[in-house]
Amino acid sequence: TLHTKHTIPETIWATFAIGFLGSYTTFSTFSVEALTLIQSGKKKQFFLYITSSIFVCIAFAWLGMML
């Protein structure tokens, strides 16, 4: 692999791997929770969960860009 041949520095490899896996598991959890809400007939909670998650994400991304 690229990492074992030392063509990519270890810190960059770790940052990429942690970032990718972290975002993948976060998105998977978000998706499963949303589907669970809709499948159990909790439409109001589903839309509140989706809307608030997206709003909070965008708000914190904006705050991060302002730093």
Side-chain angles (χ1 to χ4, degrees):
T1 66
L2 293 173
H3 178 61
T4 57
K5 293 181 182 178
H6 301 289
T7 56
I8 297 176
E10 187 174 339
T11 53
I12 300 221
W13 179 260
T15 301
F16 173 75
I18 291 167
F20 175 76
L21 293 175
S23 65
Y24 180 74
T25 57
T26 299
F27 186 72
S28 295
T29 302
F30 170 75
S31 300
V32 167
E33 289 176 345
L35 287 173
T36 301
L37 286 170
I38 200 75
Q39 288 174 343
S40 63
K42 299 178 179 178
K43 291 181 183 179
K44 186 177 179 180
Q45 291 92 337
F46 168 78
F47 287 111
L48 181 63
Y49 179 66
I50 297 291
T51 304
S52 63
S53 294
I54 292 171
F55 176 75
V56 169
C57 250
I58 292 172
F60 277 103
W62 178 79
L63 283 172
M65 291 174 69
M66 295 298 113
L67 294 177

